[in-house]
Amino acid sequence: MSSQADGTPEQIAFGRWVEEHLAYLKEVKGISMRAACRRADVSHTQVYAWMGQPESTGYNDASPAAVKKFCTAFGFDYAEAARILGWTKSEKPETHRDLDGFIRRAKAMAAHPKTSEERRRELQERIDDAEATQRMQRRAEELLREALGEDQPER
């Protein structure tokens, strides 16, 4: 297991992914980080290391078995985590990495009864921006396909 204070780009991206998912569990499901770790049977110190904490020790590589347990415990997408960590090739361009998943989680968080009105408004603004971005990306792809004479993909 390698440790790097600054973290590789993959470790940093995975750390953010873990933080997002833990925030989702906390805000939507009311599950603390330590409770999530217990439920997933993954050491909380290991999860902190995935997020590069404490800063003095930095990031540690995640093991496939531990990531699998974490994802399975909460129905998170293991394939997404594996792609972020560079264990598999991404099927989508990097810029499109699971925007649908982010939007879905943000909508769930916004709809949760314990989410404050202020947080709900902030989430809705971000959701609206993300959905607008998706529409622009689809339109840009359509225009480029048309310009290149390529057929539209089946939807």
Side-chain angles (χ1 to χ4, degrees):
M1 181 180 292
S2 74
S3 177
Q4 187 175 12
D6 293 337
T8 65
E10 294 83 7
Q11 288 171 323
I12 293 167
F14 180 65
R16 284 191 204 116
W17 184 89
V18 170
E19 287 176 15
E20 266 184 20
H21 284 71
L22 288 172
Y24 168 80
L25 290 174
K26 179 70 173 169
E27 291 186 35
V28 174
K29 307 280 186 179
I31 301 171
S32 71
M33 187 264 206
R34 290 202 183 214
C37 291
R38 280 192 302 276
R39 183 168 163 186
D41 192 30
V42 178
S43 161
H44 70 277
T45 56
Q46 183 175 29
V47 174
Y48 277 121
W50 293 348
M51 297 184 294
Q53 298 175 13
E55 289 183 22
S56 60
T57 57
Y59 291 86
N60 278 334
D61 288 336
S63 74
V67 173
K68 183 80 167 172
K69 287 195 297 187
F70 181 77
C71 290
T72 301
F74 301 102
F76 297 145
D77 186 359
Y78 174 78
E80 178 186 4
R83 278 191 306 274
I84 291 168
L85 285 161
W87 296 341
T88 60
K89 298 269 185 209
S90 177
E91 297 168 8
K92 299 178 184 178
E94 187 69 20
T95 58
H96 298 261
R97 184 181 54 217
D98 199 26
L99 185 55
D100 290 331
F102 289 125
I103 292 170
R104 191 173 44 256
R105 289 192 302 274
K107 284 181 175 181
M109 194 178 291
H112 194 274
K114 291 185 178 177
T115 300
S116 71
E117 277 305 311
E118 182 179 335
R119 179 77 167 132
R120 192 181 323 277
R121 279 191 299 277
E122 176 187 334
L123 286 165
Q124 192 56 55
E125 286 176 16
R126 303 261 170 95
I127 291 165
D128 292 345
D129 290 345
E131 289 175 335
T133 298
Q134 280 184 318
R135 287 189 298 274
M136 287 190 302
Q137 287 172 338
R138 281 193 296 268
R139 182 63 181 141
E141 184 177 332
E142 289 169 4
L143 290 170
L144 287 169
R145 285 184 184 282
E146 183 181 303
L148 295 169
E150 295 179 1
D151 293 330
Q152 294 292 323
E154 294 295 320
R155 292 194 192 247

Short mmCIF file of all heavy atoms in Angstrom, two decimals, residues 73-107:
data_model
loop_
_atom_site.label_atom_id
_atom_site.label_comp_id
_atom_site.label_asym_id
_atom_site.label_seq_id
_atom_site.Cartn_x
_atom_site.Cartn_y
_atom_site.Cartn_z
N ALA A 73 -22.20 -2.07 0.54
CA ALA A 73 -22.98 -1.78 1.75
C ALA A 73 -24.07 -0.72 1.51
O ALA A 73 -25.11 -0.74 2.16
CB ALA A 73 -22.05 -1.31 2.87
N PHE A 74 -23.84 0.17 0.54
CA PHE A 74 -24.78 1.28 0.33
C PHE A 74 -25.32 1.37 -1.09
O PHE A 74 -26.02 2.31 -1.44
CB PHE A 74 -24.11 2.60 0.72
CG PHE A 74 -23.67 2.61 2.15
CD1 PHE A 74 -22.33 2.41 2.48
CD2 PHE A 74 -24.60 2.74 3.18
CE1 PHE A 74 -21.93 2.38 3.80
CE2 PHE A 74 -24.20 2.70 4.50
CZ PHE A 74 -22.87 2.52 4.81
N GLY A 75 -25.00 0.39 -1.91
CA GLY A 75 -25.49 0.40 -3.29
C GLY A 75 -24.80 1.41 -4.18
O GLY A 75 -25.36 1.84 -5.19
N PHE A 76 -23.57 1.80 -3.82
CA PHE A 76 -22.81 2.71 -4.66
C PHE A 76 -22.21 1.93 -5.83
O PHE A 76 -22.00 0.72 -5.75
CB PHE A 76 -21.70 3.40 -3.88
CG PHE A 76 -22.20 4.28 -2.76
CD1 PHE A 76 -21.48 4.38 -1.58
CD2 PHE A 76 -23.37 5.00 -2.87
CE1 PHE A 76 -21.92 5.20 -0.54
CE2 PHE A 76 -23.82 5.81 -1.84
CZ PHE A 76 -23.10 5.91 -0.67
N ASP A 77 -21.88 2.65 -6.89
CA ASP A 77 -21.38 2.04 -8.11
C ASP A 77 -19.88 1.73 -7.99
O ASP A 77 -19.04 2.62 -8.08
CB ASP A 77 -21.64 2.98 -9.28
CG ASP A 77 -21.28 2.40 -10.64
OD1 ASP A 77 -20.80 1.25 -10.69
OD2 ASP A 77 -21.48 3.10 -11.64
N TYR A 78 -19.57 0.45 -7.80
CA TYR A 78 -18.17 0.03 -7.68
C TYR A 78 -17.41 0.31 -8.97
O TYR A 78 -16.24 0.73 -8.94
CB TYR A 78 -18.08 -1.46 -7.33
CG TYR A 78 -16.66 -1.98 -7.35
CD1 TYR A 78 -15.80 -1.72 -6.28
CD2 TYR A 78 -16.16 -2.71 -8.42
CE1 TYR A 78 -14.49 -2.18 -6.28
CE2 TYR A 78 -14.86 -3.17 -8.43
CZ TYR A 78 -14.02 -2.90 -7.37
OH TYR A 78 -12.73 -3.35 -7.38
N ALA A 79 -18.07 0.12 -10.12
CA ALA A 79 -17.40 0.37 -11.40
C ALA A 79 -16.96 1.82 -11.51
O ALA A 79 -15.89 2.12 -12.04
CB ALA A 79 -18.32 -0.01 -12.56
N GLU A 80 -17.78 2.73 -11.00
CA GLU A 80 -17.42 4.15 -11.01
C GLU A 80 -16.18 4.39 -10.14
O GLU A 80 -15.24 5.08 -10.55
CB GLU A 80 -18.59 4.99 -10.48
CG GLU A 80 -18.30 6.47 -10.40
CD GLU A 80 -19.41 7.28 -9.75
OE1 GLU A 80 -20.40 6.69 -9.28
OE2 GLU A 80 -19.27 8.51 -9.72
N ALA A 81 -16.17 3.81 -8.95
CA ALA A 81 -15.01 3.96 -8.06
C ALA A 81 -13.76 3.38 -8.72
O ALA A 81 -12.69 3.98 -8.67
CB ALA A 81 -15.28 3.28 -6.73
N ALA A 82 -13.89 2.22 -9.34
CA ALA A 82 -12.74 1.57 -10.00
C ALA A 82 -12.22 2.44 -11.15
O ALA A 82 -11.00 2.56 -11.34
CB ALA A 82 -13.14 0.19 -10.50
N ARG A 83 -13.13 3.06 -11.90
CA ARG A 83 -12.69 3.95 -12.99
C ARG A 83 -11.94 5.14 -12.44
O ARG A 83 -10.90 5.54 -12.95
CB ARG A 83 -13.90 4.43 -13.80
CG ARG A 83 -14.38 3.47 -14.85
CD ARG A 83 -15.39 4.09 -15.79
NE ARG A 83 -16.53 4.70 -15.13
CZ ARG A 83 -17.63 4.05 -14.77
NH1 ARG A 83 -17.73 2.76 -14.97
NH2 ARG A 83 -18.63 4.70 -14.19
N ILE A 84 -12.46 5.74 -11.36
CA ILE A 84 -11.82 6.91 -10.76
C ILE A 84 -10.42 6.55 -10.29
O ILE A 84 -9.47 7.33 -10.45
CB ILE A 84 -12.67 7.45 -9.60
CG1 ILE A 84 -13.97 8.06 -10.15
CG2 ILE A 84 -11.90 8.49 -8.79
CD1 ILE A 84 -15.01 8.37 -9.09
N LEU A 85 -10.27 5.37 -9.71
CA LEU A 85 -8.98 4.93 -9.20
C LEU A 85 -8.03 4.47 -10.31
O LEU A 85 -6.86 4.18 -10.04
CB LEU A 85 -9.17 3.81 -8.18
CG LEU A 85 -9.69 4.30 -6.82
CD1 LEU A 85 -10.29 3.16 -6.03
CD2 LEU A 85 -8.56 4.97 -6.05
N GLY A 86 -8.52 4.41 -11.54
CA GLY A 86 -7.67 4.00 -12.66
C GLY A 86 -7.51 2.50 -12.79
O GLY A 86 -6.62 2.02 -13.48
N TRP A 87 -8.39 1.75 -12.14
CA TRP A 87 -8.30 0.28 -12.20
C TRP A 87 -8.91 -0.27 -13.49
O TRP A 87 -8.62 -1.37 -13.89
CB TRP A 87 -9.00 -0.35 -11.01
CG TRP A 87 -8.38 -0.04 -9.69
CD1 TRP A 87 -7.11 0.43 -9.46
CD2 TRP A 87 -8.99 -0.15 -8.40
NE1 TRP A 87 -6.90 0.61 -8.11
CE2 TRP A 87 -8.05 0.25 -7.43
CE3 TRP A 87 -10.25 -0.55 -7.97
CZ2 TRP A 87 -8.31 0.26 -6.07
CZ3 TRP A 87 -10.52 -0.55 -6.61
CH2 TRP A 87 -9.56 -0.15 -5.67
N THR A 88 -9.80 0.51 -14.10
CA THR A 88 -10.44 0.10 -15.35
C THR A 88 -10.44 1.29 -16.29
O THR A 88 -10.29 2.44 -15.87
CB THR A 88 -11.90 -0.36 -15.13
OG1 THR A 88 -12.64 0.73 -14.58
CG2 THR A 88 -11.98 -1.55 -14.20
N LYS A 89 -10.65 1.02 -17.55
CA LYS A 89 -10.76 2.08 -18.54
C LYS A 89 -12.16 2.69 -18.47
O LYS A 89 -13.14 1.98 -18.31
CB LYS A 89 -10.54 1.52 -19.95
CG LYS A 89 -9.17 0.92 -20.15
CD LYS A 89 -8.25 1.96 -20.67
CE LYS A 89 -6.91 1.30 -20.97
NZ LYS A 89 -5.82 2.17 -20.85
N SER A 90 -12.23 4.00 -18.59
CA SER A 90 -13.51 4.69 -18.58
C SER A 90 -14.21 4.48 -19.91
O SER A 90 -13.58 4.56 -20.96
CB SER A 90 -13.29 6.18 -18.33
OG SER A 90 -14.51 6.86 -18.39
N GLU A 91 -15.50 4.22 -19.85
CA GLU A 91 -16.29 4.09 -21.08
C GLU A 91 -16.73 5.45 -21.59
O GLU A 91 -17.10 5.59 -22.72
CB GLU A 91 -17.52 3.22 -20.79
CG GLU A 91 -17.17 1.81 -20.38
CD GLU A 91 -18.36 1.06 -19.81
OE1 GLU A 91 -19.49 1.57 -19.89
OE2 GLU A 91 -18.13 -0.04 -19.29
N LYS A 92 -16.71 6.44 -20.73
CA LYS A 92 -17.15 7.78 -21.08
C LYS A 92 -15.94 8.71 -21.03
O LYS A 92 -15.00 8.46 -20.29
CB LYS A 92 -18.18 8.29 -20.06
CG LYS A 92 -19.43 7.48 -19.98
CD LYS A 92 -20.33 8.07 -18.90
CE LYS A 92 -21.57 7.24 -18.71
NZ LYS A 92 -22.41 7.77 -17.64
N PRO A 93 -16.01 9.80 -21.78
CA PRO A 93 -14.94 10.79 -21.63
C PRO A 93 -14.89 11.29 -20.19
O PRO A 93 -15.91 11.37 -19.51
CB PRO A 93 -15.36 11.91 -22.58
CG PRO A 93 -16.35 11.31 -23.51
CD PRO A 93 -17.00 10.18 -22.77
N GLU A 94 -13.72 11.65 -19.74
CA GLU A 94 -13.50 12.10 -18.35
C GLU A 94 -14.45 13.24 -17.97
O GLU A 94 -14.93 13.28 -16.86
CB GLU A 94 -12.05 12.53 -18.18
CG GLU A 94 -11.66 12.87 -16.76
CD GLU A 94 -11.63 11.67 -15.83
OE1 GLU A 94 -11.53 10.54 -16.32
OE2 GLU A 94 -11.70 11.87 -14.61
N THR A 95 -14.74 14.14 -18.89
CA THR A 95 -15.57 15.29 -18.56
C THR A 95 -17.03 14.91 -18.31
O THR A 95 -17.78 15.69 -17.75
CB THR A 95 -15.52 16.35 -19.68
OG1 THR A 95 -15.95 15.74 -20.89
CG2 THR A 95 -14.13 16.91 -19.83
N HIS A 96 -17.44 13.72 -18.71
CA HIS A 96 -18.82 13.30 -18.55
C HIS A 96 -18.99 12.33 -17.39
O HIS A 96 -20.03 11.72 -17.25
CB HIS A 96 -19.32 12.62 -19.84
CG HIS A 96 -19.31 13.52 -21.02
ND1 HIS A 96 -20.43 14.17 -21.47
CD2 HIS A 96 -18.31 13.92 -21.82
CE1 HIS A 96 -20.13 14.90 -22.51
NE2 HIS A 96 -18.85 14.77 -22.75
N ARG A 97 -17.96 12.16 -16.58
CA ARG A 97 -17.95 11.15 -15.54
C ARG A 97 -19.15 11.28 -14.61
O ARG A 97 -19.21 12.18 -13.79
CB ARG A 97 -16.65 11.20 -14.75
CG ARG A 97 -16.57 10.09 -13.73
CD ARG A 97 -15.31 10.13 -12.93
NE ARG A 97 -15.14 11.43 -12.32
CZ ARG A 97 -13.97 12.03 -12.18
NH1 ARG A 97 -12.88 11.45 -12.57
NH2 ARG A 97 -13.90 13.21 -11.64
N ASP A 98 -20.08 10.42 -14.77
CA ASP A 98 -21.24 10.23 -13.91
C ASP A 98 -21.95 11.51 -13.50
O ASP A 98 -22.35 11.65 -12.35
CB ASP A 98 -20.87 9.41 -12.68
CG ASP A 98 -22.11 8.81 -12.02
OD1 ASP A 98 -23.11 8.60 -12.72
OD2 ASP A 98 -22.07 8.58 -10.82
N LEU A 99 -22.16 12.42 -14.43
CA LEU A 99 -22.93 13.61 -14.14
C LEU A 99 -24.35 13.22 -13.75
O LEU A 99 -24.94 13.81 -12.84
CB LEU A 99 -22.93 14.57 -15.33
CG LEU A 99 -23.59 15.93 -15.15
CD1 LEU A 99 -23.01 16.67 -13.95
CD2 LEU A 99 -23.44 16.76 -16.41
N ASP A 100 -24.89 12.19 -14.41
CA ASP A 100 -26.23 11.71 -14.05
C ASP A 100 -26.28 11.28 -12.58
O ASP A 100 -27.24 11.56 -11.88
CB ASP A 100 -26.65 10.53 -14.93
CG ASP A 100 -26.93 10.94 -16.37
OD1 ASP A 100 -27.33 12.10 -16.59
OD2 ASP A 100 -26.75 10.10 -17.27
N GLY A 101 -25.24 10.59 -12.13
CA GLY A 101 -25.19 10.14 -10.74
C GLY A 101 -25.12 11.30 -9.77
O GLY A 101 -25.79 11.30 -8.73
N PHE A 102 -24.33 12.32 -10.11
CA PHE A 102 -24.24 13.51 -9.25
C PHE A 102 -25.61 14.19 -9.16
O PHE A 102 -26.05 14.58 -8.08
CB PHE A 102 -23.21 14.50 -9.78
CG PHE A 102 -21.79 14.07 -9.63
CD1 PHE A 102 -20.94 14.02 -10.72
CD2 PHE A 102 -21.28 13.70 -8.39
CE1 PHE A 102 -19.63 13.63 -10.58
CE2 PHE A 102 -19.97 13.31 -8.24
CZ PHE A 102 -19.14 13.27 -9.35
N ILE A 103 -26.26 14.33 -10.31
CA ILE A 103 -27.58 14.98 -10.34
C ILE A 103 -28.58 14.17 -9.53
O ILE A 103 -29.34 14.73 -8.73
CB ILE A 103 -28.06 15.18 -11.80
CG1 ILE A 103 -27.17 16.22 -12.51
CG2 ILE A 103 -29.53 15.58 -11.83
CD1 ILE A 103 -27.40 16.33 -14.00
N ARG A 104 -28.57 12.86 -9.71
CA ARG A 104 -29.50 12.00 -8.97
C ARG A 104 -29.30 12.13 -7.46
O ARG A 104 -30.26 12.28 -6.70
CB ARG A 104 -29.29 10.55 -9.43
CG ARG A 104 -30.33 9.57 -8.98
CD ARG A 104 -30.16 8.18 -9.59
NE ARG A 104 -28.81 7.67 -9.62
CZ ARG A 104 -28.01 7.62 -10.69
NH1 ARG A 104 -28.44 8.06 -11.87
NH2 ARG A 104 -26.79 7.11 -10.62
N ARG A 105 -28.03 12.13 -7.01
CA ARG A 105 -27.76 12.26 -5.57
C ARG A 105 -28.14 13.65 -5.07
O ARG A 105 -28.68 13.79 -3.96
CB ARG A 105 -26.30 11.94 -5.29
CG ARG A 105 -25.97 10.46 -5.46
CD ARG A 105 -24.62 10.09 -4.91
NE ARG A 105 -23.50 10.81 -5.49
CZ ARG A 105 -22.86 10.47 -6.60
NH1 ARG A 105 -23.23 9.41 -7.28
NH2 ARG A 105 -21.84 11.17 -7.02
N ALA A 106 -27.88 14.68 -5.87
CA ALA A 106 -28.24 16.04 -5.45
C ALA A 106 -29.75 16.18 -5.35
O ALA A 106 -30.26 16.82 -4.41
CB ALA A 106 -27.67 17.06 -6.44
N LYS A 107 -30.50 15.58 -6.28
CA LYS A 107 -31.96 15.64 -6.22
C LYS A 107 -32.47 14.91 -4.98
O LYS A 107 -33.40 15.39 -4.32
CB LYS A 107 -32.57 15.04 -7.48
CG LYS A 107 -32.50 15.95 -8.67
CD LYS A 107 -33.14 15.33 -9.89
CE LYS A 107 -33.18 16.31 -11.06
NZ LYS A 107 -33.82 15.74 -12.24
#
